[in-house]
Amino acid sequence: MRPGLRAQKVVLVGDADTAIRLGSGDVRVLGTPRLLALAEEVTVAAVGPHLDEGRTSVGTRVELEHRAASPVGMRVTVEAELLEVDGARLVFGCTATDEHGTVVGTGRIERVVVDRERFLARLPH
């Protein structure tokens, strides 16, 4: 694993993505929980193909600034770049931009690479 790995996803904001639908507000714009889920999704996509068999990554820390509203019908591109690798700890920078070039959100997401079976075995039954 090395810094510089990237992934992106382009979404068209729909009703299911809105703050009102997600319970995080009462307006029909991209909800912060959906923006966060998209940011996490691209971090997973950036490193997933580079993980050894039986390994996965899990989220451990998120900092997200939701800077601009995106109405239903707006195209938003969410990008992640792996900035730092510290053993099993991965640090990503994330940016979301709308179709007009407005920065919708920025953030930093940390994930940790784990052995999938060992991780699942530790869960309460």
Side-chain angles (χ1 to χ4, degrees):
M1 198 79 55
R2 68 191 189 295
L5 296 177
R6 298 172 155 269
Q8 76 170 24
K9 180 171 184 156
V10 178
V11 296
L12 188 64
V13 178
D15 284 323
D17 303 313
T18 62
I20 197 164
R21 180 68 62 87
L22 296 168
S24 65
D26 63 2
V27 288
R28 289 184 68 233
V29 298
L30 179 65
T32 303
R34 180 65 175 129
L35 179 59
L36 173 57
L38 290 165
E40 285 205 297
E41 185 178 336
V42 293
T43 65
V44 170
V47 297
H50 304 279
L51 293 172
D52 294 334
E53 180 87 19
R55 310 283 282 171
T56 191
S57 67
V58 295
T60 58
R61 182 178 173 91
V62 174
E63 296 173 28
L64 180 68
E65 182 181 5
H66 196 163
R67 298 169 54 176
S70 304
V72 170
M74 179 70 71
R75 188 173 324 282
V76 175
T77 301
V78 183
E79 300 175 283
E81 179 181 0
L82 181 57
L83 301 176
E84 181 184 336
V85 178
D86 179 17
R89 184 173 149 266
L90 309 174
V91 180
F92 296 86
C94 298
T95 305
T97 310
D98 72 17
E99 61 193 63
H100 301 294
T102 301
V103 175
V104 172
T106 58
R108 179 179 167 103
I109 295 178
E110 294 185 18
R111 302 186 68 79
V112 173
V113 176
V114 298
D115 178 276
R116 182 180 287 109
E117 285 187 27
R118 217 177 300 153
F119 178 82
L120 293 173
R122 290 194 312 249
L123 295 177
H125 298 302

